[in-house]
Amino acid sequence: MLTRAQKSIGTNRTAHDTRSSGMTLLSSETNYVELPGDPANGSGPDVAKKVAIDRSLADLSPVVFASLPRADQRRKGLMYLRGLLGATGRKSVRNIAAFLGDQVNDQGLHHFINDSTWEWDPMREALARHLVRRVAPQEYVLHPMVIPKSGAHSVGVARTFSWEHGQAVTAQQVIGVWGVSARSASPLNWWLHLPAHGTTPRTDRSSILHDAGPTTPEDSMVNAYLETASRLCLPHRPVVLNAERLDAIRLMTKLGAAGLRHISRIAKDTWLLPHDPALTGWGNSPLQAHQIAQLARNGRKRLTLIPSDTPKAAELVTAVRVRLPAALDTPERTHGRGDFVLFGVGRGGAQWPEELWLTDMAGADHAALLRLVGLSRRVECRGVPRAERVGIRDFVGRSFAGWHRHATLSSVAHAAAELADLGPAT
């Protein structure tokens, strides 16, 4: 059982000095936050997991708080993290303050998130670099998220169709850039999409740097990755995304123009041009993606049975060379007229193919492409649910900077839980 002194973040740790005065980032006296159910008190469920997360926070705190010059900011940041990880229900400032009890008031936390002077960019970059070193991503996943809002006053809010709800909703659209390996999925950056008809408070416009100007969701997807890769000098890895509900052709051409290797899930009715010697006779007639996959299956062409890594049946895969239809509306689409591979995946039943993917990695091994697809599912199955548990959807303020501060601290809380699962760094 850890004692109070042992649990103090930064105990026996000379945190990074950021000024010549030798300022200590964390100290046991100013950064210990005693919580209900704290392992130091010997109560609460799953003590071992709480201890692991506490150790993870101790390792992360000097990394992420190095850019905060004031001790009170570092203390409030740590308390906010504790609330994101421990409070039940919605992770609003009010609920977090109620969870923390008399150690903090909600007005102080509200100011810290919405009106304080600390910059979120350095903290998020420091966290992302740390995660890239620890996790060693094998791919980057671009994952869009719709966050419904009750009013139209928050930054980026607009009417948009939500596939989750099956109707148009008033919501923010957010893109997460995730680093994914076989053992982990962690958000490296968040991009808040600003539609042309959305809400951007006038008093907040000066804080909008990378999201400047109205864009399409497809523009935001590509820009989110390019900004992240540029700032972090990311190692080159394939980019994976789900474009079923977006303009897949627009996305493909933008990713190709940026020189990125990518594989994207597409809608079954996406129009493509067969360009494979195994499927002759189609000339310049475009077909829908599912029709091309069925032609390959019916003719027993370009089919491979790949053993599954799970107890489920083997995957029946088809890989057919295609080209994108000639597009007249944007000059950049000329970048996307080379060979692509349409990758159909499924168990071989009546609903095959269950998924259709399009990639510019035409020479890649089929099993390697299937591994990329499988890894990407980790974001939706495990990464996003964990991000939701630590409050990524729960910001209730109106400002652009406030949203990003909350999202950054939510990412730190996510990383603390994720790294606790991975165990100590070797």
Side-chain angles (χ1 to χ4, degrees):
M1 188 69 65
L2 296 182
T3 66
R4 177 180 177 121
Q6 288 171 323
K7 282 195 74 251
S8 301
I9 301 296
T11 300
N12 298 326
R13 181 189 301 270
T14 55
H16 298 50
D17 293 339
T18 59
R19 299 182 185 273
S20 58
S21 60
M23 178 192 70
T24 301
L25 285 178
L26 299 170
S27 73
S28 60
E29 291 303 317
T30 61
N31 290 282
Y32 178 79
V33 182
E34 185 175 304
L35 301 176
D38 197 313
N41 299 325
S43 62
D46 200 351
V47 172
K49 185 173 182 179
K50 286 185 176 182
V51 170
I53 291 176
D54 192 82
R55 288 172 177 164
S56 184
L57 276 178
D59 290 336
L60 281 174
S61 294
V63 175
V64 299
F65 292 151
S67 59
L68 298 185
R70 289 164 32 194
D72 65 310
Q73 290 177 330
R74 298 190 294 276
R75 177 174 170 77
K76 286 178 182 176
L78 181 60
M79 288 191 292
Y80 201 81
L81 290 175
R82 296 284 195 176
L84 291 172
L85 287 162
T88 58
R90 192 175 189 182
K91 306 303 169 67
S92 64
V93 167
R94 179 175 297 178
N95 284 349
I96 290 173
F99 172 75
L100 294 170
D102 59 6
Q103 298 181 86
V104 68
N105 62 72
D106 58 355
Q107 289 183 342
L109 278 187
H110 182 276
H111 175 81
F112 175 71
I113 295 297
N114 288 282
D115 303 315
S116 188
T117 57
W118 65 275
E119 297 182 6
W120 48 268
D121 262 343
M123 182 183 295
R124 192 181 297 178
E125 289 180 25
L127 173 66
R129 289 192 176 95
H130 180 79
L131 288 171
V132 169
R133 288 192 297 268
R134 279 291 313 270
V135 174
Q138 296 168 254
E139 67 182 33
Y140 306 114
V141 175
L142 309 183
H143 185 84
M145 180 185 298
V146 174
I147 304 177
K149 292 291 181 179
S150 57
H153 301 293
S154 295
V155 63
V157 167
R159 294 291 289 176
T160 186
F161 186 82
S162 169
W163 291 89
E164 298 175 49
H165 297 83
Q167 61 184 5
V169 295
T170 300
Q172 294 168 323
Q173 297 180 70
V174 176
I175 296 98
V177 181
W178 295 71
V180 183
S181 70
R183 298 181 60 205
S184 175
S186 298
L188 305 178
N189 197 11
W190 298 100
W191 183 283
L192 182 59
H193 173 63
L194 299 178
H197 54 290
T199 301
T200 305
R202 180 177 300 174
T203 57
D204 202 43
R205 290 182 187 273
S206 61
S207 66
I208 297 178
L209 301 176
H210 63 284
D211 299 344
T215 58
T216 67
E218 293 78 15
D219 293 332
S220 288
M221 290 279 278
V222 178
N223 291 341
Y225 174 76
L226 292 178
E227 184 207 55
T228 306
S230 174
R231 290 192 176 195
L232 301 179
C233 299
L234 289 177
H236 294 292
R237 300 288 185 272
V239 175
V240 185
L241 62 145
N242 188 337
E244 277 187 297
R245 299 157 190 171
L246 299 170
D247 184 341
I249 304 303
R250 181 183 181 91
L251 265 174
M252 297 302 99
T253 54
K254 282 185 168 293
L255 291 167
L260 302 177
R261 294 181 298 156
H262 56 88
I263 179 168
S264 305
R265 186 171 177 177
I266 61 173
K268 293 186 176 183
D269 59 359
T270 303
W271 291 95
L272 299 168
L273 288 168
H275 191 67
D276 196 304
L279 297 177
T280 58
W282 290 99
N284 294 322
S285 301
L287 294 173
Q288 292 184 343
H290 75 97
Q291 293 175 313
I292 297 174
Q294 286 292 346
L295 282 173
R297 184 187 186 186
N298 294 341
R300 300 184 180 278
K301 304 289 181 64
R302 304 300 191 205
L303 289 175
T304 307
L305 196 63
I306 299 179
S308 174
D309 293 332
T310 69
K312 297 180 180 179
E315 299 273 8
L316 180 64
V317 170
T318 185
V320 181
R321 287 183 178 267
V322 297
R323 287 189 172 180
L324 305 186
L328 302 177
D329 57 345
T330 57
E332 70 181 346
R333 290 197 177 187
T334 58
H335 289 277
R337 294 181 185 171
D339 279 354
F340 286 74
V341 169
L342 175 65
F343 195 63
V345 180
R347 303 296 175 183
Q351 300 301 315
W352 188 92
E354 296 163 18
E355 298 176 3
L356 286 165
W357 296 76
L358 192 63
T359 179
D360 65 342
M361 294 179 281
D365 176 74
H366 295 175
L369 292 176
L370 191 60
R371 282 194 295 272
L372 291 176
V373 169
L375 280 177
S376 71
R377 296 185 180 123
R378 190 177 186 96
V379 172
E380 190 164 1
C381 294
R382 297 190 58 179
V384 171
R386 170 164 275 170
E388 291 172 340
R389 288 195 295 273
V390 295
I392 191 60
R393 293 181 180 269
D394 295 343
F395 177 68
V396 295
R398 297 183 178 184
S399 74
F400 178 86
W403 187 92
H404 275 292
R405 290 190 188 107
H406 172 86
T408 300
L409 289 167
S410 178
S411 295
V412 177
H414 185 287
E418 191 79 2
L419 296 178
D421 286 348
L422 292 179
T426 56

